[in-house]
Amino acid sequence: MKKIYSIFLACLALTLTSCNDFLDKLPDDRATVDTEEKVGNLITMAYPDCVPAMMLEMSSDNVMDNGKQYTAQPNQEAMYRWEDITTTYNDDPRRVWNACYQAVATANEALQAINTLGADKLKGYRAEALLCRAYGMFTLANTFCMAYDSTKAKGYLGLPYPLQPEQSVETQYVRGTLEELYANINADIEAALPLIDDNHLTGKATKYHFNRKAAYAFAARFNLYYQKWDKAIAYANEVLGSNPAGVLRDYWQFYGLAGVEDINNAYIASGENGNLMLQTAYSTAGRVFAGSSSYRRYNHARTLIATETYWATMPWGRGSNATANNPTTHLLVSNFQYGNSQVVFFPNIYEKFEYTDKVNGTGYAHIVLTSFTGEETLLVRAEAYALTKQYAKALADMNAWQASHCTSGYTPFTEAVINDFMSKVPYQKVVPTADTERTVKKTLSPQGFTVETGTQENIIQVILHMRRIETMRQGLRFQDLKRYGISFSHNRDGEEAAVFEPGDLRGAIQLPTDVINAGLEANPRKK
């Protein structure tokens, strides 16, 4: 396996072309981290400021090709086609790689300072730094690695996992295995959880840090992906308890709001109980998902919303014709969709533009991600319950989600209701040739675990659909497709459809070109 040498991890993280600038300033910054306040300030920079949401969303089945008559950007097209992405915009592999490894390097600097100052009195900061390191690496794993498969993890490539600030030219980096990568993430999470509390966040923007609930939500999602179902349940319990309604948002609040910007502001509000952790990022994803004319070719089109996502027929109903005075049974969120035939969107992600020069209209595009929510954590627990055949508990969580997301009059989930409904839904063809062949049900080929046909699969199918709705535009759907080995296709105007297969090697996005050129092993591709 190839090795890469560098003075600091930043050479790997920021790549060779930008390494010197980072190294020139880091030693001075590190030397000044000698108080609790400075440790806290340093950790605020240990969260990635670029995210893979657009990259992973464009790789998923949440988008389709609207035709050559519409415009797409080169990076967006490469993402959609599962090709190597060579551009270096904020949503591209190089920026995500840099941002995550810089966050990890910052967390390591904070941990070193905490060890010097005395870890006992800074246990809250230590927990946050460990979680930031684990989260940065988890984000990288979800982007540049295969889904965890207990039968193949020793053979899949992992990523370098730095555990301390690098100070030697003899430092050697190898990718290692996915099993080793997950073990390292797990070790950081397990070390952090006994220390986590919110005391050190007093006076801070708590929702923009790993507060206690966010920490356990992260642990629950990680263990779901790690196929540790019992731990996923236990950690989700710390967030949800026996009455999860307190951490689920009320979708009725969006009635009466002026439009997309007001809805987005309400959705990402730090005072919203459903938001456990928020994350800002430099990104054009907001304008992409909102259907800017420059990105309209590949997007979440009306065809998809009508047949596979928000408006598709489900036990709770279909369509989008509810009003506050005349509700009919369906998803509340389905009534807050904007756009046109090529792009239909709910503004859970919307651009926040920072002007540096208002006269010339220049500045930086930002988004605010709801990185961890009560709703997604609830579905983590429901899925883990279903996978351990605790169906009554899974159904209780699914009904809690339905109660918070649907208009009145919905049919509560029972095994009979779900089995009856799903038995009548055909599996979608991998390459549908007509809209009538699109459904909410796709063939599962779980990677490293099994799902029994019948009740277990039917419940899982509904949960996966709920997760698809809940995580739309955040990139998590691609992880679910990878985890469950769901084969699907991307239509291509004037060309044969491109098919994504179970265990598809393209599920691991290719590393940045300059990182490969520097000597780190590239992700393999099918020959």
Side-chain angles (χ1 to χ4, degrees), residues 40-41 99 138 200 299 347 404 459 496 515 525:
N41 290 337
F138 187 55
H200 73 293
N299 226 303
S404 71
I459 290 175
E496 186 177 340
V515 172
R525 290 292 183 257

Side-chain angles (χ1 to χ4, degrees), residues 244-245 248 378 395-405:
L248 303 181
L378 181 70
L395 292 166
D397 281 349
M398 295 165 71
N399 280 320
W401 187 91
Q402 198 174 201
S404 71
H405 284 65

Side-chain angles (χ1 to χ4, degrees), residues 133 197 217 256 275 294 342 355 364 418 422 427 431 438 495:
R133 183 168 70 185
D197 59 39
N275 292 332
S294 298
Q342 295 77 49
Y355 283 99
Y364 301 104
I418 288 178
M422 294 307 299
Y427 288 100
V431 183
R438 294 182 179 273
E495 303 176 60

Side-chain angles (χ1 to χ4, degrees), residues 244-412:
V247 289
L248 303 181
R249 73 187 72 238
D250 176 11
Y251 278 89
W252 285 105
Q253 68 179 296
F254 300 128
Y255 283 98
L257 295 181
V260 292
E261 190 165 1
D262 282 358
I263 290 175
N264 177 251
N265 287 338
Y267 191 88
I268 64 173
S270 59
E272 167 57 57
N273 290 337
N275 292 332
L276 306 181
M277 192 175 93
L278 303 167
Q279 183 180 359
T280 60
Y282 294 99
S283 174
T284 57
R287 69 183 65 168
V288 175
F289 299 146
S292 166
S293 60
S294 298
Y295 299 92
R296 202 165 290 176
R297 177 170 178 179
Y298 305 110
N299 226 303
H300 183 242
R302 186 180 182 89
T303 295
L304 289 176
I305 192 174
T307 60
E308 294 190 38
T309 62
Y310 296 104
W311 297 342
T313 300
M314 286 295 290
W316 52 68
R318 71 181 302 271
S320 62
N321 59 346
T323 66
N325 297 322
N326 184 31
T328 57
T329 306
H330 69 267
L331 288 176
L332 285 163
V333 69
S334 71
N335 202 45
F336 303 105
Q337 303 293 325
Y338 296 83
N340 50 48
S341 294
Q342 295 77 49
V343 185
V344 187
F345 71 100
F346 169 70
N348 60 329
I349 293 178
Y350 197 66
E351 184 168 305
K352 307 295 184 184
F353 197 82
E354 174 192 358
Y355 283 99
T356 56
D357 186 337
K358 283 197 172 184
V359 174
N360 293 312
T362 58
Y364 301 104
H366 298 266
I367 58 171
V368 178
L369 280 177
T370 52
S371 301
F372 295 100
T373 66
E375 293 86 0
E376 192 266 339
T377 305
L378 181 70
L379 295 179
V380 165
R381 188 171 73 176
E383 184 182 338
Y385 277 143
L387 289 167
T388 53
K389 300 184 179 180
Q390 299 180 70
Y391 299 142
K393 291 181 178 179
L395 292 166
D397 281 349
M398 295 165 71
N399 280 320
W401 187 91
Q402 198 174 201
S404 71
H405 284 65
C406 295
T407 55
S408 58
Y410 62 85
T411 302

